Amino acid sequence: VARVLHPARPDCPGHAEFARDFRGSTGLFGFVLADDGAAAAARFVDALQLFGIGYSWGGPMSLIVPYDLTSMRNDWPRYLKHGTLVRFSIGLETASDLQADLAQALQHIFE
């Protein structure tokens, strides 16, 4: 994982504005896998059992979408690593179940 993107993290771009304007956090976040991360992202997504594949802005079900950023961006901000973005929308499932699912799926990145 080359970068975690979540506005509540102090190292995330826009964190200062987030901390100034908001008191809570969000279930939307992502991480970027290095340049050769497309295959690893596919293994990760395929291994997930509780996350569906799809777009959401905060629905009740946890969803995930992988993006190949190298084919989508012409101009790269300095903070954003080249690679594959895996975007999450966390739903209402039990947090410990989602954490366990993510942990087992992360094992597949390194296969």
Side-chain angles (χ1 to χ4, degrees):
V1 174
R3 181 87 191 246
V4 175
L5 299 169
H6 190 287
R9 292 177 52 94
D11 64 339
C12 188
H15 173 74
E17 292 81 10
F18 173 83
R20 178 193 70 208
D21 296 338
F22 298 97
R23 299 211 194 295
S25 194
T26 178
L28 295 172
F29 69 96
F31 63 68
V32 179
L33 295 172
D35 284 333
D36 58 351
R43 289 191 302 274
F44 173 74
V45 171
D46 287 344
L48 289 167
Q49 298 172 7
L50 299 178
F51 288 78
I53 297 176
Y55 300 93
S56 174
W57 290 105
M61 299 181 321
S62 293
L63 298 172
I64 188 169
V65 176
Y67 295 95
D68 177 11
L69 292 178
T70 56
S71 68
M72 297 175 68
R73 295 191 72 92
N74 294 327
D75 187 27
W76 285 85
R78 283 189 291 226
Y79 68 84
L80 188 59
K81 304 274 186 191
H82 288 245
T84 301
L85 172 71
V86 180
R87 180 183 173 271
F88 298 86
S89 175
I90 303 301
L92 299 177
E93 299 89 353
T94 304
S96 60
D97 289 345
L98 294 175
Q99 290 169 338
D101 193 26
L102 290 169
Q104 67 82 24
L106 283 169
Q107 304 283 331
H108 293 272
I109 288 178
F110 305 106
E111 291 179 347

